[in-house]
Amino acid sequence: CGEPGKRREVIGYVTNLLQGGSLVQCARLGHWVDLIATIVLATVELNIYFDLVTVRDMEATEQQGKLAVIDLVELVIQELQRTEEELESTVSSEQLLQLLDVCHKAVKVAFDFVKQFDDEPGRRAALTPHLGMAARIIGAWMVVEPSKFEGDFLQALPHLVRHLPSHMLGSLLPALDNYHSHAWADTPGLLTKMLELVTAASSEDAAAL
């Protein structure tokens, strides 16, 4: 699975499995090893993705492949949160820890990209959409296990708030709501952007009536 095309093929296969079922079904159908291996591959792709965008723009077809990786990682994390109790009664504790470990590595890649964002002043505008992708992964994970990356999350928030428009911060709302303290409220500009986000959503709902 070392070749990029083969990695994308495997990632697409497991994504289809998850979209048609759940993590629990993957385990029951004997696809657990495939799932773990695919998240490892996705983490490799994430590293490549974030490394590439810091030095050059990506072509449309190239970016589409990377977005599939973001979608997979986000889907796995959301499924983990949705089926956590059922999963605990389906797989062994070792298998669950294995899943958490490979997810941690993927989430850390997203946090590392956020940390280095300010080191690329000449490419900030071009990197903003990719920062939003990192925020999707971070926001999804902080709903599942906020204590694991608590320090990283509080350090990342100022960067995300400073550089992302309010509509790209929506993925963080569930994480903030689930957070065990209100330390995030001290982040400069965060409450203003959250208000902008909620106001825009309310306006869209009203227009749809």
Side-chain angles (χ1 to χ4, degrees), residues 39-182:
I39 302 172
V40 172
L41 290 177
T43 302
V44 171
E45 289 287 326
L46 280 179
N47 265 308
I48 294 171
Y49 167 42
F50 287 131
D51 283 347
L52 280 178
V53 297
T54 58
V55 295
R56 66 171 174 83
D57 295 335
M58 301 180 75
E59 296 180 3
T61 54
E62 189 178 22
Q63 184 163 335
Q64 186 176 7
K66 302 307 180 188
L67 291 179
V69 175
I70 300 287
D71 290 341
L72 170 66
V73 174
E74 186 179 37
L75 178 60
V76 169
I77 294 171
Q78 289 171 342
E79 278 295 298
L80 178 58
Q81 190 269 333
R82 188 179 70 83
T83 63
E84 185 174 7
E85 290 186 6
E86 189 178 3
L87 199 60
E88 288 176 349
S89 62
T90 304
V91 302
S92 68
S93 57
E94 289 79 10
Q95 287 175 308
L96 188 56
L97 286 173
Q98 188 181 34
L99 176 60
L100 291 172
D101 182 61
V102 293
C103 285
H104 288 161
K105 289 180 171 63
V107 175
K108 187 177 184 303
V109 171
F111 273 116
D112 287 345
F113 178 69
V114 175
K115 289 177 183 177
Q116 71 179 28
F117 188 83
D118 280 340
D119 295 334
E120 306 291 340
R123 287 187 51 77
R124 283 179 190 163
L127 288 175
T128 296
H130 308 294
L131 188 67
M133 298 300 172
R136 282 173 52 188
I137 294 175
I138 291 169
W141 184 258
M142 294 305 292
V143 175
V144 175
E145 191 187 25
S147 61
K148 172 63 181 178
F149 291 103
E150 180 176 3
D152 298 272
F153 183 59
L154 293 178
Q155 289 176 17
L157 270 178
H159 299 279
L160 295 172
V161 172
R162 186 181 309 120
H163 299 295
L164 289 180
S166 56
H167 71 271
M168 295 182 73
L169 292 170
S171 57
L172 298 179
L173 277 175
L176 297 176
D177 185 54
N178 187 60
Y179 206 68
H180 63 86
S181 77
H182 291 101

Side-chain angles (χ1 to χ4, degrees), residues 187-198:
T187 304
L190 176 59
L191 294 179
T192 298
K193 287 200 172 180
M194 289 295 107
L195 181 59
E196 291 175 358
L197 182 64
V198 172

